[in-house]
């Protein structure tokens, strides 16, 4: 040592640290800051993010494609494809139908069926009729034309829509039949008449009419029964307006407005005139109420209708077959009892009449007509009126507890 003292070493303190360097919110990013504050990614980070974007894009694309595909598929399923919809349809069939089919029968019979519109001073109504001949005669029910009275109007409408005025030729309350006539109408097509005696239970039938004013209505069914004793009317109380019909029963639906229309067979021939129905809670008269069909319809046999129509056309009135006795209509037993006195005070068995000649006496109970059992005075009248004046008829009766048979020739009375 030289003996010269050395100055002590001077230690310079480090400059104070910037307090903002101690707080670096972006330190986790491990990289410099950009001017906008966003992190500058490294290459590995950029590759990872690119892969995430691709995966998310693929997922979104798959979901979108699935939704679009489902919507398109649903649309195609509902609409059958892209473009206008055209539904399949059968081709043109032959226009004709078998003559004995319901359509064939209707086509044959409809041109001969008419709708009647009747109006009078106090009432009006609608019914049906059918052409009898080329002279313009039309058969219908008496209760159809009755509202016209003596000075009302009757209008006839044909199936093709043509109309004409009609006048009453003759009508009969007891048979509930009437004939009207139109004039100045050409091309009339008469409806062929069948034979109601040949009808069998179960035979197919077609009814044509204007139920509830619906003209040209066609219904079908079968003959359900024959020889049903039907009475209708009786509003006057004296029996002068009661109709007695030995009817054909059918399940072909008929309703108010069908009255007077034809009941035709498989050959389109008339076998009956539709006249009454039995409906729930309303009775059997087509005039009353607006009751509907329950499958119990009744038609006047055409054999009876033909005879009455001919008489109405030729003479203006119909005759009724009679046996010349007065019946006790209050008798409650089985059968029809001959009264003990006449309504006018005369004998209950007309002297010189068919019953008197056959030996029928007051108090006898008639139980059979032509071998058919009867149960009331109304049934006896129905069975007798099913025959013609001059026909021979066998009756079975009870007298003093013993049965006996008598044969008589039916007489005639005016309608």
């Amino acid at each position: 040592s030289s003996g010269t003292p050395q100055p002590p070493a001077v230690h310079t303190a480090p400059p104070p640290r910037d307090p903002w360097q101690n707080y670096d919110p972006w330190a986790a990013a491990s990289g410099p800051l950009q001017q906008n504050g966003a992190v500058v990614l490294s290459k590995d980070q950029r590759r990872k993010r690119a892969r995430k974007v691709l995966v998310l894009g693929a997922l979104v694309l798959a979901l979108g494609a699935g939704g679009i595909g489902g919507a398109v598929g649903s649309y195609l399923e509902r609409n059958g494809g892209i473009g206008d919809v055209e539904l399949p349809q059968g081709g043109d069939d032959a226009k004709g139908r078998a003559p004995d089919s319901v359509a064939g029968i209707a086509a044959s019979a409809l041109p001969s069926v008419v709708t009647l519109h009747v109006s009078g001073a106090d009432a009006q109504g609608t019914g049906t009729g059918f052409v009898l001949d080329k002279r313009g005669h039309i058969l219908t029910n008496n209760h159809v034309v009755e509202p016209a009275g003596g000075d009302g109007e009757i209008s006839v409408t044909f199936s093709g829509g043509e109309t004409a005025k009609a006048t009453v030729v003759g009508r009969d309350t007891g048979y509930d039949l009437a004939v009207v006539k139109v004039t100045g109408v050409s091309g009339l097509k008469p409806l062929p008449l069948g034979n109601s005696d040949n009808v069998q239970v179960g035979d197919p039938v077609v009814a044509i009419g204007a139920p509830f004013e619906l003209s040209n209505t066609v219904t079908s069914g079968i003959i359900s029964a024959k020889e049903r004793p039907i009475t209708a009317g009786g509003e006057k109380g004296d029996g002068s307006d009661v109709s007695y019909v030995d009817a054909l029963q059918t399940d072909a639906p008929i309703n108010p407005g069908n009255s007077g229309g034809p009941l035709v067979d498989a050959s389109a021939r008339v076998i009956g005139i539709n006249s009454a129905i039995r409906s729930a809670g309303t009775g059997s008269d087509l005039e009353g109420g607006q009751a509907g069909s329950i499958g119990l319809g009744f038609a006047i046999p055409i054999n009876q209708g033909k005879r009455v129509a001919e008489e109405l056309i030729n003479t203006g009135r119909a005759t009724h077959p009679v046996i010349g006795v007065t019946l006790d209509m209050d008798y409650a037993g089985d059968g029809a009892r001959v009264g003990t006195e006449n309504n006018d005070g005369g004998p209950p068995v007309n002297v010189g009449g068919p019953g008197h000649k056959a030996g029928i006496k007051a108090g006898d109970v008639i139980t059979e007509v032509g071998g058919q059992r009867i149960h009331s005075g109304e049934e006896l009248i129905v069975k007798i009126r099913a025959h013609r004046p001059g026909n021979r008829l066998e009756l079975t009766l009870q007298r003093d507890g013993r049965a006996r048979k008598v044969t008589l020739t039916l007489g005639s009375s005016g309608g």
Side-chain angles (χ1 to χ4, degrees), residues 161-178:
E162 305 88 352
T163 62
K165 297 294 183 182
T167 56
V168 176
V169 173
R171 61 192 187 94
D172 185 88
T173 301
Y175 288 113
D176 193 20
L177 291 172

Side-chain angles (χ1 to χ4, degrees), residues 109-115 156-163 187 215-216:
L110 273 170
S112 305
V113 181
V114 303
T115 302
V156 171
T157 303
F158 294 86
S159 62
E162 305 88 352
T163 62
S215 60
N216 302 327

Side-chain angles (χ1 to χ4, degrees), residues 321-344:
V322 296
I323 61 174
V325 303
T326 298
L327 298 176
D328 179 5
M329 302 305 285
D330 294 326
Y331 178 63
D334 196 42
R337 185 171 69 179
V338 180
T340 55
E341 62 180 19
N342 201 334
N343 294 333
D344 58 6

Side-chain angles (χ1 to χ4, degrees), residues 106-371:
S108 176
L110 273 170
S112 305
V113 181
V114 303
T115 302
L116 288 85
H117 299 275
V118 182
S119 60
D122 300 320
Q124 59 184 8
T126 302
T128 309
F130 57 93
V131 178
L132 291 172
D133 56 30
K134 293 186 177 181
R135 296 167 61 183
H137 292 112
I138 293 169
L139 183 61
T140 186
N141 281 135
N142 174 66
H143 74 257
V144 170
V145 302
E146 192 171 25
D151 55 359
E153 292 187 356
I154 302 174
S155 175
V156 171
T157 303
F158 294 86
S159 62
E162 305 88 352
T163 62
K165 297 294 183 182
T167 56
V168 176
V169 173
R171 61 192 187 94
D172 185 88
T173 301
Y175 288 113
D176 193 20
L177 291 172
V179 174
V180 301
K181 186 178 182 180
V182 294
T183 56
V185 179
S186 60
L188 293 175
K189 180 185 177 184
L191 195 55
L193 306 183
N195 185 343
S196 52
D197 288 343
N198 295 336
V199 172
Q200 298 295 321
V201 174
D203 282 349
V205 290
V206 171
I208 304 176
F212 299 104
E213 300 189 26
L214 300 172
S215 60
N216 302 327
T217 295
V218 176
T219 57
S220 65
I222 62 169
I223 294 294
S224 304
K226 298 173 59 177
E227 299 175 345
R228 291 294 199 203
I230 300 298
T231 60
E235 285 79 11
K236 292 183 179 179
D238 58 2
S240 63
D241 62 338
V242 178
S243 301
Y244 300 90
V245 180
D246 201 24
L248 299 173
Q249 180 182 327
T250 179
D251 67 348
I254 58 177
N255 291 282
N258 274 104
S259 291
L263 186 69
V264 301
D265 62 14
S267 299
R269 299 172 302 191
V270 184
I271 57 170
I273 302 103
N274 301 317
S275 300
I277 61 172
R278 175 68 64 184
S279 56
T282 62
S284 62
D285 191 351
L286 277 180
E287 294 176 277
Q290 294 293 299
S293 171
I294 58 172
L296 293 174
F298 303 95
I300 301 169
I302 194 56
N303 289 16
Q304 182 173 322
K306 176 179 179 295
R307 177 183 72 82
V308 174
E310 290 170 345
E311 291 185 345
L312 292 176
I313 292 171
N314 294 328
T315 68
R317 61 189 303 180
T319 58
H320 300 166
V322 296
I323 61 174
V325 303
T326 298
L327 298 176
D328 179 5
M329 302 305 285
D330 294 326
Y331 178 63
D334 196 42
R337 185 171 69 179
V338 180
T340 55
E341 62 180 19
N342 201 334
N343 294 333
D344 58 6
V349 180
N350 297 344
V351 178
H356 181 262
K357 294 178 180 179
I360 296 176
K361 296 182 178 181
D364 286 348
V365 178
I366 301 172
T367 58
E368 293 182 6
V369 176

Side-chain angles (χ1 to χ4, degrees), residues 72-90:
V72 172
S74 176
Y75 175 85
L76 294 177
E77 181 180 357
R78 288 197 308 268
N79 297 279
I82 299 175
D84 294 337
V85 173
E86 184 173 351
L87 301 175
Q89 185 180 26

